[in-house]
Amino acid sequence: MKRLNGFEQYMHIALEEARLAFDAGEVPVGAVLVCGGEIISRAHNRVERDHDATRHAELICLGEGMTKRGGRLNDCTLYVTLEPCAMCAGACVNAKLGRLVFGAFDEVAGCCGSRMDLTDKCFLHSVETWGGILEDECKALLSGFFQALR
C-alpha cells in the first residue's frame, strides 16, 4: 500500500499539469518525471500552442529528463494522467525508462495495455507499467474537456 500512496502523490502533480493544459485549451494530459524521489521534469500537452503533434506531455518530460541527467532514465518513473500513445510508449522504451505509471486507460489509442502494449517485451527494453492510478480523477478531467468542446 505504501507504493500506491507514493504513486498517488506524484499522480496528483501530473493532474496539476493536466489542469494547466485544460486551461490552455490543450487536451488535458500532464506528466511528471521522478528520479530518486526528486522531480526532474514536469509538463503538459503543448500540441496546439506549438503547432506540433509531438509536443505530448510525456515526450516533453522525457526529453528534459534525459537532457538534465545526460542519458538514460532506467532509474526513473514517469507519471502521466492518460495511457501513452504509440509514439510516447515508444519513447519510454527508447529512453530506457524504469517505470511508467498512468491514470486513465485509453481504449482508443493506448499502447501500454489497452489497444496494444509496446512497453512489455516487444523490444530489447521493457518498462514496468502500472495503470489506473487515480483513474476516476484523470477520466473526469478528460471528459470535462471533451464535453466543453461539444
Side-chain angles (χ1 to χ4, degrees):
M1 190 60 144
K2 189 173 190 176
R3 173 180 266 185
L4 185 60
N5 289 338
F7 286 178
E8 290 177 354
Q9 170 191 350
Y10 293 113
M11 189 60 73
H12 281 293
I13 297 168
L15 276 162
E16 289 173 13
E17 287 292 326
R19 288 183 191 97
L20 292 173
F22 185 106
D23 293 343
E26 299 277 356
V27 174
V29 177
V32 60
L33 182 66
V34 178
C35 301
E38 177 186 352
I39 295 174
I40 301 300
S41 61
R42 55 190 289 175
H44 55 274
N45 277 359
R46 291 189 236 162
V47 171
E48 301 302 325
R49 186 193 86 175
D50 295 350
H51 308 289
D52 183 344
T54 67
R55 299 299 283 165
H56 287 198
E58 302 96 307
L59 293 184
I60 296 167
C61 264
L62 292 171
E64 289 177 4
M66 290 185 77
T67 298
K68 287 180 182 177
R69 293 183 42 103
R72 305 296 183 201
L73 304 173
N74 58 311
D75 58 341
C76 300
T77 302
L78 180 67
Y79 297 84
V80 62
T81 56
L82 180 64
E83 179 181 0
C85 67
M87 174 176 67
C88 295
C92 289
V93 170
N94 285 310
K96 304 283 192 269
L97 183 68
R99 180 184 302 134
L100 170 68
V101 178
F102 66 87
F105 287 86
D106 184 349
E107 300 299 327
V108 175
C111 288
C112 299
S114 289
R115 294 292 293 176
M116 62 181 63
D117 192 349
L118 299 178
T119 61
D120 187 30
K121 299 178 183 104
C122 286
F123 304 102
L124 290 176
H125 178 75
S126 293
V127 179
E128 176 187 339
T129 303
W130 293 67
I133 309 302
L134 298 182
E135 183 175 16
D136 291 340
E137 291 178 53
C138 295
K139 275 185 178 178
L141 189 59
L142 287 158
S143 294
F145 177 79
F146 288 112
Q147 285 175 352
L149 288 179
R150 291 184 194 133

